[in-house]
Amino acid sequence: MATAQQIRKAYLDYVLTNNEKPKSVYIFVKKLKITETDFYQFFSSFESIEKTIWFELTFETINKIKEQEVWPQYTAREKILSFFYSYLENLKNERSFVIYSLKNHRGKFSTPDVLAGVKPIFENFAQEIIEEGLDSGELAERRFLSKRYKDALWIQFAFIVNFWINDDSEGFEKSDEAIEKGINVTFDLFQHSPIDNLLEYGKFLSRNGKFAEKMRF
């Protein structure tokens, strides 16, 4: 009986050689000399194999960076930067698959189905870091907007991965630059700014309107 790893390897060999998925599970397992029961014991479809690979790549990256001794000393910004640098390093091991998977499951306005398992684990990870940043004062607590910070980081996730699969620069140095600039700009928006002071001043004036009226000359 085949193992999940053997099925996964055979599937990767097939799609990367033929640039398309097998016509059916029946044809695939027949070539692999296993039964459909063997296949369905581990995966519900070919797409579920890809979802599993994406999930594992993301889960492994998060666990790996959290094991670093310096992790607790990192700021929220540094933790997100560390994730993306490490993530692209991890994706290099499966670059051919990543390119195939995204280019064959690309949606115009929605998250590709193969990333369905990645989005919640990434957002939970991002939210954990955001909450640390809010508690420490590194990030600005904004009514309604603070809850959307993780969405902004997911947009960065999609942008960075798509940038990387199209990056032909030496050592993917342009992707590193995309991470640095994109995450730094995003975190600059998350932090306190003169606009926050202006908004706070506006709230103060609205709460003390009657007092302001008395102060007129």
Side-chain angles (χ1 to χ4, degrees), residues 190-212:
F190 289 173
Q191 293 181 318
H192 292 278
S193 69
I195 293 177
D196 292 298
N197 295 332
L198 181 61
L199 291 173
E200 287 301 317
Y201 184 55
K203 292 177 184 177
F204 170 79
L205 292 178
S206 66
R207 289 196 302 267
N208 297 278
K210 292 182 180 179
F211 182 76

Side-chain angles (χ1 to χ4, degrees), residues 8 55-65 90:
R8 167 179 163 165
F55 178 87
E56 289 175 351
L57 286 168
T58 309
F59 187 75
E60 288 169 3
T61 301
I62 292 173
N63 280 347
K64 184 177 179 180
I65 59 177
N90 206 12

Side-chain angles (χ1 to χ4, degrees), residues 101-119:
S101 183
L102 288 184
K103 289 191 173 181
N104 282 274
H105 296 89
R106 183 170 293 179
K108 291 183 178 179
F109 304 106
S110 60
T111 300
D113 288 340
V114 289
L115 297 183
V118 171
K119 187 175 183 180

